[in-house]
Amino acid sequence: MEFWKDSQEAVTAIKKMWEEIGNDAELRAAAGKVNQLIVFDYTESGPGCAVWVDCRNGGFTVGAGIPEGNPDLTMSLSADDAHRSWSDKLNPVMAITRKKIRVKGSATGLLKLVPKLKKVAVIYRQVLTDLGMADKIMK
């Protein structure tokens, strides 16, 4: 891994980012419109290395690992490419077309959130700073 010392470090940062997204009214409302159980699978970076977001039926729950139940959408990518994506340095649409991100299920709703990535990147940078990982912030 280029950015992370281990898979747990990546999971900690990305899970915390999603928790903070859930605290932002605009982003939480946008995620609610997706209305899916989404798994971000980083198994290329380590076994059990995943973060999930359940934004079905008006809820917003975040967890690490594989959730109970069948996800509506699984995004498989490396933890490094996840870091680039959340840092707004990797366009997820281009990454999907170039097979850096593999999609199982319908990503149509999630891709509607792409215009909000700049705001997510601000939250992600703050999360990295708060977790003592400011050295990972991409310029």
Side-chain angles (χ1 to χ4, degrees), residues 73-76 96 101-107:
L73 173 64
T74 300
M75 309 275 286
S76 299
I96 289 170
I101 299 175
R102 292 174 308 287
V103 177
K104 183 178 177 185
S106 174

Side-chain angles (χ1 to χ4, degrees), residues 96-111:
I96 289 170
T97 60
R98 292 181 180 164
K99 309 252 187 250
K100 285 185 143 204
I101 299 175
R102 292 174 308 287
V103 177
K104 183 178 177 185
S106 174
T108 304
L110 189 62
L111 291 176

Side-chain angles (χ1 to χ4, degrees), residues 37 39 56 66-72:
L37 172 58
V39 175
R56 296 176 293 186
I66 303 300
E68 290 186 28
N70 294 323
D72 301 296

